[in-house]
Amino acid sequence: VQQDIRAAMDIMSTDIMMAGLDPSGSAPDEGFADNGSDNDDTDSNSIALRYDYDGDGACEVDRCYYYDSANQRLMIRDGTAYNQPLTADDTISMVTFSYTLADESIDTDPDTNGNLAAIRLVTVQICGKITGTYAADHPNTYCFSRNIKPRNL
């Protein structure tokens, strides 16, 4: 489970660092997003982001990471609205996102508070546990936290 959490954290970190990339200066919707649903916005249990990967003025990368509490897993949704698990079922006990703004305050719900454009640092915490054969021998919960600075905002 530790390797799964580390791998998920690395994948998310890469996307978060790229959020807001707009080499042409003409992509109108780059950065962090609020796409209308709880699993498709930027708040304490999910993060939605967009960036222009190839510099053509359109945001080709439109991703959302969110915690599926019913199945205890981390999910990823790409721009086609296809949801897929990033971790195995019943392994993740908690995922939280918090956001440090330009004024250095911390906001756990920047989409509702109108602070999406002010995000300067994202803190991600993922906690998980071993399941299956070795669960009884290793009942610990492992938590990993990372501060990620979006390079393009």
Side-chain angles (χ1 to χ4, degrees):
V1 74
Q2 291 180 28
Q3 287 302 95
D4 287 348
I5 292 173
R6 285 187 181 119
M9 190 74 81
D10 285 345
I11 292 167
M12 278 194 307
S13 294
T14 299
D15 274 339
I16 292 169
M17 283 189 284
M18 297 294 289
L21 177 67
D22 181 15
S24 69
S26 60
D29 56 355
E30 81 286 346
F32 296 100
D34 178 1
N35 296 321
S37 73
D38 188 42
N39 291 336
D40 201 10
D41 62 2
T42 302
D43 61 13
S44 62
N45 72 324
S46 62
I47 186 168
L49 50 94
R50 296 185 186 112
Y51 57 91
D52 179 5
Y53 185 74
D54 63 7
D56 68 353
C59 290
E60 292 84 19
V61 179
D62 181 2
R63 294 216 174 104
C64 184
Y65 296 93
Y66 65 93
Y67 179 54
D68 175 3
S69 59
N71 295 303
Q72 292 190 314
R73 63 186 177 187
L74 183 62
M75 299 290 290
I76 181 173
R77 182 204 47 79
D78 66 14
T80 61
Y82 177 71
N83 298 298
Q84 60 185 354
L86 199 55
T87 59
D89 286 1
D90 300 320
T91 59
I92 304 299
S93 56
M94 181 185 75
V95 176
T96 59
F97 299 93
S98 65
Y99 308 90
T100 303
L101 306 179
D103 65 2
E104 298 184 8
S105 65
I106 296 175
D107 192 344
T108 57
D109 198 0
D111 62 339
T112 301
N113 297 328
N115 290 324
L116 292 175
I119 296 171
R120 295 298 178 264
L121 183 73
V122 178
T123 301
V124 181
Q125 183 174 27
I126 304 174
C127 296
K129 60 188 182 302
I130 295 174
T131 60
T133 307
Y134 301 104
D137 295 333
H138 304 283
N140 300 336
T141 298
Y142 301 94
C143 293
F144 296 87
S145 181
R146 188 175 291 176
N147 293 324
I148 307 156
K149 183 171 177 37
R151 298 180 193 160
N152 303 293
L153 299 174

